[in-house]
Amino acid sequence: MTPTSSTTPAATASGPTTATGPASASAANARDLALAHYAARGVLEHVLARHGATFQQQVALRAAVTSDVPQTMDDLVTQVQGSLKANPADIRTTLDELVAKNLLVADGAHLRPADAGRELLAAVGAETAPISARIWGGIPAEDLAAAGRVLAVVTERANAELAASNG
């Protein structure tokens, strides 16, 4: 049977379907990439909400926690902007929120992760690990490698477009 892209209630919830299940032979496109991103992000945001955190706060906190050297606010703004393409003023507000929640601590000109910030990331990671295993489990390694290569090219090209439009 040939995959169909009709929009039935089942297809709306999980994407194009066939009589035997999800369509798998169609070429990926920008909409597919966006839908996958927002579905995965929605799962993470659901977990983060239970911990009183936002997606942008988690990205900023992770940037501070995973850094090998102390970061200034400007350093963290640059890192988060590189990841999320968010407005620098909004990122500064997010960093201020993390300080107010005692998840980041001001140490002179630097912001360092507080124990509570590390604990939050560990709790969210522990909660999302089994979900991620269910989402990613069973996908052949060669498919993941191909997807990784494609996503790297898309990211590089989109970043180049952003740089050209800003410069």
Side-chain angles (χ1 to χ4, degrees):
M1 183 171 272
T2 305
T4 178
S5 61
S6 66
T7 308
T8 64
T12 303
S14 61
T17 61
T18 68
T20 59
S24 60
S26 62
N29 59 41
R31 182 174 184 274
D32 295 333
L33 174 62
L35 291 173
H37 163 76
Y38 284 113
R41 181 171 168 172
V43 169
L44 176 58
E45 287 180 337
H46 184 74
V47 172
L48 288 167
R50 287 197 295 267
H51 293 274
T54 67
F55 181 74
Q56 189 158 303
Q57 288 172 343
Q58 182 262 348
V59 171
L61 186 56
R62 183 167 304 284
V65 167
T66 59
S67 179
D68 293 333
V69 297
Q71 301 290 297
T72 65
M73 183 173 284
D74 288 342
D75 295 334
L76 288 171
V77 167
T78 299
Q79 286 183 49
V80 174
Q81 187 177 28
S83 296
L84 299 181
K85 314 308 185 235
N87 179 312
D90 293 341
I91 298 168
R92 287 180 187 284
T93 298
T94 296
L95 293 170
D96 289 340
E97 292 166 354
L98 292 170
V99 170
K101 290 181 167 191
N102 296 313
L103 299 172
L104 287 178
V105 177
D107 184 9
H110 297 96
L111 293 175
R112 63 176 177 78
D115 288 343
R118 291 179 192 283
E119 290 167 8
L120 171 64
L121 288 181
V124 169
E127 204 170 321
T128 58
I131 299 167
S132 294
R134 289 191 300 272
I135 292 169
W136 291 91
I139 300 174
E142 61 272 11
D143 289 351
L144 292 173
R149 289 189 300 274
V150 170
L151 292 173
V153 170
V154 169
T155 300
E156 181 181 326
R157 290 176 180 176
N159 283 336
E161 288 293 328
L162 281 171
S165 68
N166 291 331

